[in-house]
Amino acid sequence: MSTLRDLVEEHTNLSPADIDHLHRLAGDWQLLSDLSFADLLLWVPIKGEPRQPREFLCVAQVRPVTAPTAYQDDQVGKIVGGPEVAHLDVALTQERIWREGDPVWYGDTPARHEAIPVRLRDAADLEEGYSEVIAVIGRDTNLSTARTPSQLELNYLTTADDLAQMVSDGTFPPPRHPGETTSAPRVGDGIIRLDSSGKVTYASPNAQSAYRRLGFNSHLVGEELAKLASRLSADPLEGNDASERILGSLRGEFAPRMEVEARGATVLTRALPLLPAGVPIGALVLVRDVTEIRRRERALMTKDATIREIHHRVKNNLQTVAALLRLQARRVDAPEARMALEESVRRVASIALVHETLSMSSDEAVEFDGIVDRVATAATEVAATSFPVRMRREGTFGVLPAEIATSLVMVLNELLINAVEHGFSAPEDEDEETAAPDQSGEVVVSAHRFRKQLHVTVADNGRGLPEGFRPDASGRLGLQIVRALATGELRGSIELRNRAGGGTEAVLVVPLAKR
C-alpha cells in the first residue's frame, strides 16, 4: 500500500511543508479520534481542473479505541466524488466545520458525517491573517451503539470539538519538539481538563488513579494542577518544571512531554493548550502511569551495565594474562618455547579485543569490521616475512553476536598469521636476500552475507600450500584451533586450497541463524 506521502505527491499539488503538516496530523490525531468516538479519514482534493463537487482521495485513516468503527474496510487510497463528498467540498470551499445533514448508511451501519478543514498556518500566515485549507478530515461516527451521555463522554466530546476547531484554525497539531517521538499518553490512560485559571474541571478515573500513585488521595476537581504538580514531585526542580509547563499550556504554549516522579511512582504527562478560534480557554493534560514500565527499564539498564562491566573485567584479566605470558617469553631461552608463548599472547589479545568492544556496546553484539582491521594490523606487525605484506579488507562483516565474534576472531587471527608467516617467509633452503626481493605481498580478507550465512575468505598471493598438504592431517596447533572452532563452536565449515593465480585461500562459512 502506498504511504501518505506517496499518495499526496502523486495526486495533488501540495507543497513539502503541507505534506509534513499532514504527517504531523496523522501522528497526533488518534487523540482526536478517541475523544470524538469516531473514525477520522484524511481527504485531499485531487489535482486538475476544478469540478463541482470535486473528487477527493483518502490518504490516511484512524479508528477510535473508545468506540466501534464505522468502517470495517480500509478506506486509504479510495477516490470518491459526486454527492458522496458534498460535505467535504463545503468544508474545503467555505473553510468551516460542516455538521449539517442526516445520518448515512454504510451497509447495515448508520453513521453521522462531519467535515473539518485542515489548515497549515505558519508565521507568515499569522502576520497576513490568512492561511489556505490543504485537506479535509472526515469525522464519521458509528451510530449503531447508543451511548449514555455520561460526564466522561460529555467532556470527551467537548474537548474533541475544541481540538477540531484548532485543526480548522491551523493551531493543531503542534510542531514536534526536537528528538520527541510520537509516543504519548492516550485518552484511555487518563485525561484532565483545566479551565483558563488552571483549575481542574474534569479528571477521568484513570487520571485520578495516576495521581493517587503520586500521593494525592483527594479528588482532583477544583485543584490548581500546576501547584499540585510542584507540591507532589520528589524533585523540586522537576516539580517546578512540571508546574511551568502546565502554566505555559494555559498561555497557549505546546510543551514537550515530561515525567513526574513521587513516592516511587512515575507518571508521564502531556499538556495541550485549548485554543478554539485562537482564544485560550484552558488546557488538556494527558496522563499515564508508567511506573512499572520505568521499573523494568531501570532493571534492564542495571543488568546491561553489569554485563558491560563483566566484559570490561574479562578484557582486563585477559590483558593481564597476555602480559604475564609476554614476560615469561622474555625469560625463555628455547626459541620454540618463546615462539609458542608469543603465539599464545596474540591469541589471548585477539579475544580481549572482542570483550573490549562488548564492554562499550549496549547489547551482546559487536561491530566486527573494526576488530578484523585491528587483528590484521597486528598480524603484519608481528609476523616475520621476507618482504612487506599489505592487508586489505573487502566487504563488511556487520554486527555479529558475541558468541560468534569470540570464536571467529580466533579463527581469523590464526588464518592471518598463517597467511603472512607461511605465505611470504623464505623457504628454509633459500637465502632471504635472494627470495624475490621485488615481490610485494598482499592478504585480502573478504566477507559477505548470503542466505543467513557469513562467507569469509582469507586469500594471499604467496607461495601456496606445499605439495601433498592435508589440513586435516597437519600437526600445527594453529590449524587445529581453526578446524576445531570452525566446525565446533561456529557450526560451520573451513577449506584451505591453492588459488588458481598463485597463493593460498581459506574459505570459511558460518551460519548466522539463531542457535
Side-chain angles (χ1 to χ4, degrees):
M1 178 179 292
S2 299
T3 64
L4 185 155
R5 184 176 296 275
D6 293 336
L7 290 171
V8 173
E9 289 180 346
E10 181 180 355
H11 295 279
T12 75
N13 294 317
L14 294 180
S15 68
D18 296 334
I19 298 174
D20 289 341
H21 183 72
L22 296 183
H23 267 289
R24 288 199 307 275
L25 177 61
D28 253 335
W29 69 347
Q30 184 69 59
L31 170 64
L32 178 58
S33 176
D34 291 343
L35 290 171
S36 303
F37 306 102
D39 292 77
L40 300 183
L41 282 71
L42 185 58
W43 298 94
V44 294
I46 296 179
K47 62 185 175 182
E49 292 296 326
R51 291 176 289 273
Q52 297 297 332
R54 297 174 175 83
E55 286 188 332
F56 287 82
L57 167 69
C58 181
V59 296
Q61 175 183 3
V62 64
R63 294 181 173 89
V65 177
T66 52
T69 180
Y71 300 97
Q72 298 301 321
D73 298 327
D74 195 3
Q75 303 297 301
V76 176
K78 182 178 180 181
I79 297 177
V80 293
E84 188 177 353
V85 295
H87 63 299
L88 302 178
D89 195 59
V90 170
L92 180 70
T93 56
Q94 299 183 15
E95 301 185 358
R96 66 176 180 87
I97 297 178
W98 183 93
R99 291 193 175 96
E100 305 89 70
D102 298 324
V104 296
W105 290 81
Y106 296 107
D108 297 330
T109 303
R112 181 177 64 246
H113 271 335
E114 294 178 70
I116 305 167
V118 178
R119 282 186 177 89
L120 170 60
R121 178 167 293 180
D122 56 23
D125 294 327
L126 291 175
E127 290 179 3
E128 298 174 6
Y130 170 80
S131 60
E132 183 181 359
V133 175
I134 60 174
V136 179
I137 291 178
R139 181 163 62 170
D140 302 333
T141 306
N142 186 335
L143 300 177
S144 62
T145 304
R147 302 189 64 87
T148 303
S150 64
Q151 187 181 15
L152 181 144
E153 183 179 61
L154 292 175
N155 276 278
Y156 273 27
L157 292 174
T158 301
T159 306
D161 287 342
D162 292 335
L163 291 179
Q165 185 61 52
M166 292 171 65
V167 171
S168 178
D169 297 337
T171 56
F172 185 87
R176 190 166 297 162
H177 293 274
E180 190 174 45
T181 63
T182 56
S183 61
R186 298 162 296 183
V187 168
D189 295 325
I191 71 166
I192 299 172
R193 185 173 173 118
L194 308 179
D195 62 16
S196 58
S197 67
K199 290 185 178 181
V200 177
T201 60
Y202 174 76
S204 68
N206 283 343
Q208 185 73 55
S209 297
Y211 271 80
R212 287 186 177 176
R213 292 290 300 273
L214 293 174
F216 184 73
N217 296 320
S218 300
H219 291 291
L220 284 169
V221 175
E223 292 286 335
E224 291 189 39
L225 195 64
K227 293 182 179 179
L228 180 61
S230 179
R231 191 167 70 245
L232 290 177
S233 179
D235 185 344
L237 293 177
E238 183 183 85
N240 291 336
D241 191 16
S243 175
E244 182 56 37
R245 294 191 186 194
I246 293 173
L247 293 174
S249 67
L250 297 174
R251 297 190 296 265
E253 301 171 4
F254 289 91
R257 302 158 179 82
M258 74 165 299
E259 294 182 0
V260 178
E261 294 187 4
R263 297 181 60 180
T266 306
V267 173
L268 176 65
T269 66
R270 183 191 185 192
L272 295 170
L274 296 176
L275 301 164
V279 179
I281 62 171
L284 174 68
V285 181
L286 301 171
V287 299
R288 182 186 181 190
D289 184 359
V290 294
T291 304
E292 291 304 311
I293 295 174
R294 296 298 177 261
R295 183 189 63 80
R296 289 194 293 268
E297 287 179 352
R298 283 192 289 268
L300 288 173
M301 290 175 62
T302 301
K303 179 181 178 182
D304 180 63
T306 301
I307 292 174
R308 289 204 302 270
E309 177 62 21
I310 290 173
H311 283 301
H312 181 70
R313 294 187 181 186
V314 170
K315 183 262 296 184
N316 288 343
N317 290 338
L318 289 172
Q319 288 180 336
T320 301
V321 171
L324 292 173
L325 291 173
R326 194 176 293 111
L327 288 173
Q328 187 65 48
R330 293 172 183 172
R331 295 175 177 269
V332 173
D333 295 329
E336 291 184 356
R338 186 184 302 111
M339 183 178 297
L341 290 172
E342 290 174 349
E343 289 178 352
S344 297
V345 168
R346 291 195 294 270
R347 288 163 185 153
V348 172
S350 65
I351 300 175
L353 275 178
V354 176
H355 286 280
E356 180 182 8
T357 306
L358 287 170
S359 69
M360 297 181 289
S361 174
S362 59
D363 52 18
E364 285 293 284
V366 295
E367 183 66 48
F368 202 71
D369 289 344
I371 294 176
V372 173
D373 294 342
R374 292 174 66 180
V375 170
T377 300
T380 57
E381 289 176 351
V382 302
T385 60
S386 303
F387 38 81
V389 177
R390 184 168 65 96
M391 288 283 184
R392 182 164 56 88
R393 173 171 57 83
E394 293 180 348
T396 178
F397 288 81
V399 177
L400 296 178
E403 60 269 22
I404 291 179
T406 304
S407 299
L408 183 58
V409 73
M410 284 280 291
V411 171
L412 289 176
N413 180 65
E414 298 298 332
L415 292 176
L416 290 169
I417 291 293
N418 282 340
V420 175
E421 290 191 342
H422 300 289
F424 301 105
S425 60
E428 295 181 359
D429 57 350
E430 184 178 354
D431 186 353
E432 288 192 8
E433 295 182 357
T434 60
D438 297 331
Q439 184 176 355
S440 61
E442 183 179 59
V443 178
V444 181
V445 181
S446 305
H448 71 277
R449 299 189 180 211
F450 179 71
R451 293 182 179 177
K452 295 184 178 181
Q453 290 181 331
L454 177 64
H455 293 250
V456 183
T457 302
V458 178
D460 64 70
N461 60 349
R463 293 201 314 267
L465 297 173
E467 186 177 351
F469 177 80
R470 292 178 52 197
D472 55 347
S474 173
R476 297 176 183 172
L477 177 59
L479 291 179
Q480 292 177 2
I481 292 174
V482 167
R483 192 166 56 251
L485 290 175
T487 59
E489 292 294 323
L490 296 175
R491 298 185 300 115
S493 61
I494 182 73
E495 179 184 0
L496 271 71
R497 62 197 181 201
N498 283 319
R499 298 174 63 194
T504 308
E505 66 179 5
V507 181
L508 175 66
V509 179
V510 180
L512 297 176
K514 291 185 177 179
R515 305 184 180 191

